[in-house]
Amino acid sequence: LSALEAVGRQRVAKPATLAVSPISRWTFEKDATDALGSLHGVLKDGATVADGRLKLDGRKAHAVTPSLTKDLREKTLEAWVVLPTLDQRGGGVVTVETGGVFDSLVFAERQPRTWMAGSNNFTRTRDVVGGPETLTGEPVHAAIVYHADGRVALYRNGQPYGEPYRAGDAVTFKAAESRVLFGMRHTGGGSAFLTGDIEEARLYDRALTAREVAASAKAGPDAVGVSEKELLAALTTAEQGERATLQAERAKLRERLAAVPRPQPVFAAVAKAVPVTHVLGRGSVEKPGAVVSAGGVAAVGAADFGLLPDASDGQRRAKLAAWIARPENPLFARVMVNRLWHHHFGVGFVDTPSDLGFNGGRPSHPELLDHLAAELVAHGWSLKYLHKLIVTSATYRQASAKNPAAFAVDADNRFLWRKSPTRLEAEAVRDAILTAAGQLNATVGGPPFYDVRTHGNAGTKFYEPIDPTGTAFNRRTVYRFSPRGERSALLETFDCPDPSALTPRRQVTTTPLQALALWNNSLVLRMSGYFAERVDAACATAGDIAVSAKVTQAYRLALSRVPTADEQKAAAAFVAKHGLAALGRVLFNCNEFVVIE
């Protein structure tokens, strides 16, 4: 006799109680709280909770949960639904979705008054002969069971609704990437909203049997599953010992799994034989002439690559790279040097970084450009060497103070009589805030972090901005997933370009929105709190917790200097009134924080 059966026998007074508990349960007593887990729903676009039901108007009202906390493959979606009208089409009751992929309990999308298993492009959907719905104004129990092998079974009021079917493989909905919807078939869908009430909804991480579905329907929405406490009480001493052994083994396996490095993405192409190329008589493909080999452009240097006509794609690419970077070609090194100079000084020797030709700008210091290009080639194309050479030069280390006489002659500083102040790029502004707060995750390489949620419809991708928190999202901004057409509010404010457009030279603007972003952005607010904690911890370690000491430490962390006497006095009064976190926001908003002088 199993522990589960033992508990079942103890519950003779409640024979219809479920034999397995859901992982999430929404009773809609006061709100959309998950009574068993952490998937607490948020009401959206007019959705309300009243009289123990989620009220949905069929227009835009719905509820949505945060991301799943575990992967979900086989599953069961279950709900008690009240339909005020049967003349509606395509509304979702309960949905699990990730991006453009979803599984949903849907009413009357393809057939009027009929329940169905909704899915992206109907890939896991089949019309079943379950009969038209007839009940209005009272709860209908509906459930869909998704088996691990792809089988799908529908139930109405505890009875099979049509025949089970298999339409391809089951989908694994990944934790942290998937969520649950109520009242909406899927994000971005047309006519996707349900008109009616949901009295209760449940999500299971396993495929319920027909018997279990029938028991749940009979017990009604108030029935609850068997608790872990009840199961433990029913275990024998031997079973409890076996359970403890298995739990210890599982813990060790999880530790070993966590220690395994995450696989790095590999991008590869399927190699194909390169066809032989012919000269085409008058350009006609029907008049192939002499066979030719891959080569360069004779007008700009030696063009013969010395390749056979049937040379592989890899051989051609290697020869092309060697031809571009050959010592006799000064242009490539000049372009690289010009871009590096542009990075450090805000403008290159040539102010058109993508055009060093006849139609581009004229170099301000042609001899220096050639000298640095020769240095780059002589040191094996080492960018690190050239970076160091530039930043340790007297030109780079000049003060940014204005010289009236020089300014009158060269207001744009093209002759480099001072170090022109340059603002940090948008990505560096975000990284600097994380660094000052002591929250920058300096992990190198690996997959990107996502601050958008992806969903789609009919082959089109949509990106919804989100505000994730945690170490995984505090990586350098270069590791941010940057979808086309969707930019971070903070980054966009500081002129971060859309990744879909080539931007050899970024615009640098000064707008009130930048000050507002550094004062009100959610990332800045969070990091200001961490900044205050870091300052407090540093002063406590040093044994000096005076406000003046905290102000000095804050200036050191944010601006790499100590405050002046006037700054110390004003900041101390400010901290006493508004707190240390507010001082962090002030320092993040200083020109000195975002501008290199």
Side-chain angles (χ1 to χ4, degrees):
L1 187 68
S2 70
L4 187 60
E5 291 172 328
V7 173
R9 290 191 175 185
Q10 294 171 9
R11 290 188 168 195
V12 291
K14 295 181 179 180
T17 297
L18 291 180
V20 61
S21 291
I23 58 172
S24 290
R25 180 187 183 213
W26 298 270
T27 60
F28 305 113
E29 291 298 327
K30 296 181 180 179
D31 50 26
T33 297
D34 179 0
L36 299 178
S38 59
L39 300 182
H40 306 305
V42 178
L43 305 181
K44 298 278 190 177
D45 298 325
T48 59
V49 171
D51 303 323
R53 293 176 178 177
L54 174 63
K55 303 287 185 177
L56 304 163
D57 60 12
R59 294 192 293 269
K60 289 186 177 181
H62 66 286
V64 58
T65 73
S67 300
L68 300 180
T69 57
K70 61 183 294 185
D71 291 354
L72 200 62
R73 185 171 177 84
E74 66 172 17
K75 60 186 178 293
T76 301
L77 308 179
E78 180 182 34
W80 283 262
V81 191
V82 179
L83 300 172
T85 174
L86 301 179
D87 295 324
Q88 55 177 303
R89 299 297 293 268
V93 180
V94 186
T95 299
V96 181
E97 75 163 9
T98 177
V101 178
F102 69 93
D103 281 332
S104 178
L105 172 58
V106 177
F107 181 69
E109 182 181 7
R110 302 214 303 189
Q111 297 175 302
R113 304 190 179 195
T114 303
W115 297 98
M116 61 171 276
S119 60
N120 46 294
N121 298 318
F122 304 115
T123 52
R124 290 171 301 285
T125 301
R126 295 291 183 272
D127 294 331
V128 296
V129 185
E133 182 57 65
T134 58
L135 288 179
T136 58
E138 58 182 284
V140 176
H141 173 266
I144 301 182
V145 178
Y146 295 87
H147 295 265
D149 62 1
R151 285 182 297 122
V152 179
L154 284 78
Y155 296 86
R156 178 189 175 277
N157 283 345
Q159 300 301 312
Y161 188 79
E163 294 294 326
Y165 64 86
R166 187 178 188 278
D169 296 328
V171 173
T172 298
F173 292 88
K174 293 289 187 180
E177 299 177 7
S178 310
R179 59 181 181 172
V180 180
L181 304 175
F182 304 100
M184 180 166 63
R185 186 171 72 251
H186 68 97
T187 305
S191 303
F193 298 94
L194 180 76
T195 300
D197 300 345
I198 302 178
E199 185 167 331
E200 182 168 323
R202 296 174 184 171
L203 174 65
Y204 301 81
D205 61 352
R206 53 154 287 186
L208 296 187
T209 66
R211 191 178 208 176
E212 290 168 337
V213 173
S216 180
K218 184 176 181 180
D222 294 328
V224 296
V226 178
S227 68
E228 183 178 5
K229 183 177 180 181
E230 290 176 288
L231 289 174
L232 290 176
L235 292 177
T236 65
T237 302
E239 289 172 335
Q240 290 177 352
E242 183 182 1
R243 179 176 182 272
T245 301
L246 292 174
Q247 285 182 318
E249 184 179 350
R250 181 181 63 179
K252 291 180 180 179
L253 290 173
R254 284 179 173 174
E255 290 179 2
R256 290 175 57 188
L257 182 62
V260 176
R262 297 187 65 176
Q264 300 298 313
V266 175
F267 300 93
V270 178
K272 295 183 179 179
V274 180
V276 173
T277 303
H278 296 262
V279 176
L280 301 179
R282 300 183 63 84
S284 173
V285 295
E286 297 180 353
K287 298 179 180 179
V291 175
V292 293
S293 301
V297 181
V300 293
D304 187 4
F305 286 0
L307 291 172
L308 296 174
D310 60 349
S312 68
D313 184 65
Q315 291 173 321
R316 298 180 185 210
R317 288 175 178 270
K319 285 290 184 179
L320 176 62
W323 180 72
I324 292 174
R326 70 191 190 282
E328 297 80 16
N329 175 26
L331 182 60
F332 181 56
R334 285 174 181 166
V335 171
M336 292 298 299
V337 167
N338 192 65
R339 286 182 178 265
L340 292 180
W341 195 268
H342 174 103
H343 172 79
H344 288 296
F345 288 90
V347 61
F349 296 116
V350 180
D351 58 7
T352 52
S354 286
D355 189 353
L356 269 66
F358 182 79
N359 292 323
R362 303 278 76 82
S364 59
H365 299 74
E367 294 86 356
L368 180 56
L369 175 60
D370 280 348
H371 169 71
L372 293 177
E375 284 287 291
L376 178 62
V377 176
H379 289 80
W381 299 92
S382 172
L383 299 184
K384 183 176 182 180
Y385 167 80
L386 205 62
H387 278 300
K388 183 177 180 181
L389 184 63
I390 292 174
V391 299
T392 57
S393 67
T395 302
Y396 182 84
R397 291 182 293 163
Q398 290 183 106
S400 59
K402 186 180 294 185
N403 181 326
F407 184 81
V409 177
D410 179 25
D412 292 334
N413 192 33
R414 291 295 285 151
F415 295 128
L416 305 172
W417 51 269
R418 69 165 178 160
K419 171 64 174 70
S420 295
T422 55
R423 196 185 69 202
L424 293 176
E425 295 173 325
E427 297 90 335
V429 171
R430 178 181 177 276
D431 293 352
I433 293 172
L434 291 169
T435 301
Q439 296 298 306
L440 182 69
N441 178 356
T443 302
V444 176
F449 71 88
Y450 291 77
D451 58 4
V452 294
R453 179 182 289 115
T454 306
H455 55 85
N457 182 40
T460 302
K461 288 281 187 180
F462 297 92
Y463 301 96
E464 176 187 353
I466 58 176
D467 185 26
T469 60
T471 303
F473 304 101
N474 291 344
R475 302 188 66 196
R476 291 175 56 208
T477 313
V478 70
Y479 292 112
R480 175 180 179 264
F481 169 68
S482 299
R484 295 182 177 184
E486 181 58 59
R487 288 171 281 177
S488 159
L490 178 64
L491 300 181
E492 184 174 11
T493 302
F494 282 91
D495 307 305
C496 184
D498 191 309
S500 64
L502 294 176
T503 312
R505 184 176 182 180
R506 295 189 179 192
Q507 297 295 321
V508 180
T509 63
T510 301
T511 70
L513 290 177
Q514 293 164 354
L516 290 173
L518 290 178
W519 187 250
N520 295 322
N521 184 267
S522 58
L523 174 72
V524 175
L525 293 173
R526 283 199 306 275
M527 292 305 117
S528 297
Y530 285 120
F531 179 78
E533 293 175 5
R534 187 183 182 194
V535 171
D536 282 332
C539 291
T541 302
D544 189 354
I545 59 173
V547 173
S548 59
K550 293 181 179 181
V551 168
T552 299
Q553 181 65 18
Y555 269 77
R556 283 174 174 161
L557 291 176
L559 306 180
S560 299
R561 66 172 178 84
V562 297
T564 65
D566 289 341
E567 288 172 336
Q568 176 70 254
K569 181 178 178 181
F574 182 83
V575 170
K577 185 175 181 180
H578 299 288
L580 198 54
L583 177 62
R585 294 165 68 193
V586 170
L587 294 177
F588 294 160
N589 224 315
C590 291
N591 280 346
E592 195 173 344
F593 186 79
V594 297
V595 175
I596 302 173
E597 296 187 355

